[in-house]
Amino acid sequence: GGGSGRRQLRDNLGRSWVKIQEHEALLTNRFLDGVRELPNVVLYGKHATECAARSGTYRSRLPSRTPTFALRIRANNRSNDLAPEAVADWMQRERGVWCASGNFYALDLTETLGLESSGGLVRFGFLHYNTVDEVDRVIEALSLVSNGSLQLPSS
């Protein structure tokens, strides 16, 4: 009867969730490994440094974090960071990379970090439908922004 069909469905769903977590872990680690190599990028939240301290690697402790990342980019030879809105606009307009800027309803956090008055953060997110190539495109675009070769406004 019906019990074995429900059990099979539950087992299939469980295997699907494991595959999704594995894929998102791959995307997360790819992003963290790429960002780690970029100059002037400041990543906020659970990220590679706390994992590196434990294991000597930059592998994320998944599934203890989601594949959503908030960052700022320090302006070369300037006292301020690049304006998050300018970074997000450039990424979308020039590279076709969707990201956003602001506080994402975490006003207390951005105020505590001293980032609210200067535009908040730039946020990227990856899910099960994203590909490794898309993560690489984001890293490539961030590389162009973070190396100081673009003239984006500071915050």
Side-chain angles (χ1 to χ4, degrees), residues 58-118:
Y58 275 81
R59 294 287 166 234
S60 180
R61 294 183 312 157
L62 294 171
S64 66
R65 72 152 0 268
T66 61
T68 303
F69 306 95
L71 57 84
R72 295 273 291 222
I73 300 175
R74 298 204 190 288
N76 279 344
N77 302 319
R78 295 190 226 165
S79 59
N80 296 330
D81 294 345
L82 296 178
E85 185 176 12
V87 172
D89 288 347
W90 183 87
M91 296 285 282
Q92 292 172 30
R93 185 181 63 253
E94 299 298 327
R95 290 294 186 244
V97 170
W98 193 91
C99 60
S101 65
N103 64 32
F104 310 99
Y105 302 102
L107 179 62
D108 288 344
L109 174 66
T110 55
E111 287 179 340
T112 300
L113 293 172
L115 303 175
E116 181 61 28
S117 63
S118 60

